[in-house]
Amino acid sequence: MNIKNYINGEFLSPVTNRWIDNYNPSIGEVYGQLPNSDVEDVENAYQAATKAFPGWSNTSIDERSKILSKIAGLLEEKLDFLAEAESKDNGKPFRLAKAIDIPRAAANFQYFANAITQFSSEAHESIGLDAMNYTLRQPIGVVSCISPWNLPLYLFTWKIAPAIAAGNCVVAKPSEITPMTAYLLGEICNEAGLPKGVLNIVHGLGTTTGQAIVEHPHIKAISFTGGTATGAHIARVAAPMFKKLSLELGGKNPNLIFADCDYDNMLKTTVRSSFSNQGQICLCGSRIFVEESIYEKFKTDFVKKVQQLKVGNPFDSETNIGALVSKSHLEKVKSYIAIAADEGGEILAGGEQVVVEGYENGYYLQPTIIEVKDNNCKLNQEEIFGPVVTLMPFKTAVEALALANDVKYGLSATLWTNDLKRTMRISKEIHAGIVWVNTWLLRDLRTPFGGVKASGVGREGGFEALQFFTEAKNVCIKY
Ligand code: TXE
C-alpha cells in the first residue's frame, strides 16, 4: 500500500516522485512505500498551513473542541483497524496497540478537546498605578510536530492535538520507519471536518524532510520526540532562527527497588517496565538497582518471570514481545549485548536473536537481563532502547541515589519503597522529569511531561502543552 502526503486535505505524491520502502518488521519484508519528500513538499505543506491559519485561529473554541472530539470518536471507532495497522508497521503486539497505542491517541484528542475549553490567561491589576495588565495567549502560527517510531500514533497525536486545539496550523512528520497510522489519521481528520490545511502531514527521511521543516524560516515552533543526538542537531539549526522548541529525548531510567516494597507488585511491574513494547519506550526502566538484602531473591524471581515471556508474531494472542522496529535497530541492540562480557557483565537471561516459526526473517530478540558490576559501563550509560535491562545491587539509599543520578539522561525514575521519608527525599533529589513511586507509566494527561539533562528541554502535557503552543502577550492599559 502506498502512503501519500496529506497536504491541504488532499493525498499527494511527493513532487519528485521519489519513494522509500516501508517494512513490516515482523516478517522483515517491504509491504509498501512512502513519500521521500523534499523541500518543495514541505513548502507546499507550509503554504497550506499558513493559508488555513487566519480561519482556524479565529474559529471558536467550541467549534475546535467539537472537531477534536470527533477525531477522538473516529479513532475509537476504528480501534481494530488502526491497531492492526500499527502492529504491522511497528512490530508491536496487536494486543498492546489495541489496549494502549490507539486508545491513547483517541484520549489525546479528547483530552485537548476538553482542555482548550478550560485554558485561560491571567490578568494583573497594577494597583496604585491605575493600570490593568492582561495576558493574551495567542496561537503561534505554523508549527511543526516531529515524532518517532516507538509509539507512532500515540506520540504523533500527543503533539498535534494541543497544537491545533490552541489554534495553530501544523506541518507534521511521523517517523519514516512507522508512517502508516499517521497516513490514516489524515483520512480521519477529513472525515471529522477538520478544515483543509490545519493539519498537513509530510512523510520522508529525517535528514531531508525533517531537516527541511526545521530549516523552514517561517515554521515558528517545533515539538520533537526522538533521539538525543537528533534533538541536539535540531536545537543547533533552530536556535539562530529563535524558534520555540520542545525536545523530548532519550532516557536511561533507573528503577530503585528497596527491600520494604510490596514485592509481588514490584516484580510484576518491573517485568512490564523493562520489556513493554520490546523495551522501546523512552520511559522503560533500563537500569535496575536493587537493595542488597533482596538482590539474590529478586534476581532469581525476575529471571524466571522474564524467561516465561513469549517472543512471537505480533498477531499471535500469546505474544508478549513482538518484533523490534527495524533490522538496523535490531543490530544496534545486539551490538550492546555483544559488549556485555567485555564490560564485565553477565547475561542472566536472553541475549539471543529469535527465529519465530513462519516468520523467520522478522526482527525478534529475547528479553535480556545483564548483571553489571559498574554503573560507568556503556550498558548503563547509553540508551539501548530495546529489550535489554541491567541489574546491580546497592547498599544504602544514598548510594542508590548516586547511582541513579550518575548518567547523562534524566527522563523518568521508578522508586519501589513504602518508606515515606525516603520517598520524599529521593523524589526531590533524583534527576528526572517524572518519578513514579510504587507504579510505572501511570499517566494522567493533565501532568507535565518531559525530562532534564540530555533527556530534553520543555514540558508537554496538560496546560504546559497549550502554553508551549501559544505565545503570551502582555497588554497594559492605563486608566
Ligand atoms: O530517532 P531519530 P531514530 C532513540 C533511541 C534510538 C535512537 C535513534 O535510542 O535508537 O533514538 O532512533 C526525525 N531534522 N529514540 O533514528 O532519528 C526522524 O525522521 C528533523 C528515543 O529513529 O531521532 C523521526 O521522525 N527531523 C525516542 C524523528 O526525528 C529529524 C524514540 C525521530 O528520529 C532529523 C525514538 C533532522 N535532522 C528513538 N533527523 C524517545 N525518547 O522516545 C531525524 N529526524
Side-chain angles (χ1 to χ4, degrees), residues 43 81 96 109 152 246 283-284 294 303 307 338 422 432 455:
E43 184 57 30
F81 169 68
L96 186 74
F109 276 103
S246 169
L283 303 164
C284 279
I294 58 163
V303 166
Q307 282 170 339
R422 180 192 285 149
S455 293

Side-chain angles (χ1 to χ4, degrees), residues 163-230:
I164 63 175
N168 300 284
C169 292
V170 178
V171 174
K173 194 194 92 61
S175 169
E176 60 273 33
I177 304 168
T178 52
M180 184 51 84
T181 47
Y183 169 61
L184 300 172
L185 179 67
E187 288 177 1
I188 288 171
C189 289
N190 282 352
E191 207 177 325
L194 186 72
K196 287 178 178 182
V198 172
L199 172 63
N200 304 277
I201 302 172
V202 193
H203 295 271
L205 302 174
T207 45
T208 52
T209 318
Q211 185 73 17
I213 291 174
V214 178
E215 284 178 350
H216 196 289
H218 304 304
I219 295 179
K220 296 178 190 157
I222 298 161
S223 166
F224 168 82
T225 299
T228 293
T230 314

Side-chain angles (χ1 to χ4, degrees), residues 20-37:
I20 304 166
D21 286 338
N22 190 24
Y23 281 80
N24 172 344
S26 67
I27 53 171
E29 281 174 17
V30 174
Y31 80 107
Q33 293 196 307
L34 63 137
N36 187 354
S37 306

Side-chain angles (χ1 to χ4, degrees), residues 146-150 173-177 204-207 210-211 214 224-227 230 233-234 248-250 282 329 332 383 385:
I146 301 178
S147 59
W149 46 257
N150 57 333
K173 194 194 92 61
S175 169
E176 60 273 33
I177 304 168
L205 302 174
T207 45
Q211 185 73 17
V214 178
F224 168 82
T225 299
T230 314
H233 172 77
I234 289 175
E248 307 283 344
L249 311 176
C282 51
H329 190 56
K332 176 188 153 184
E383 186 181 39
F385 215 63

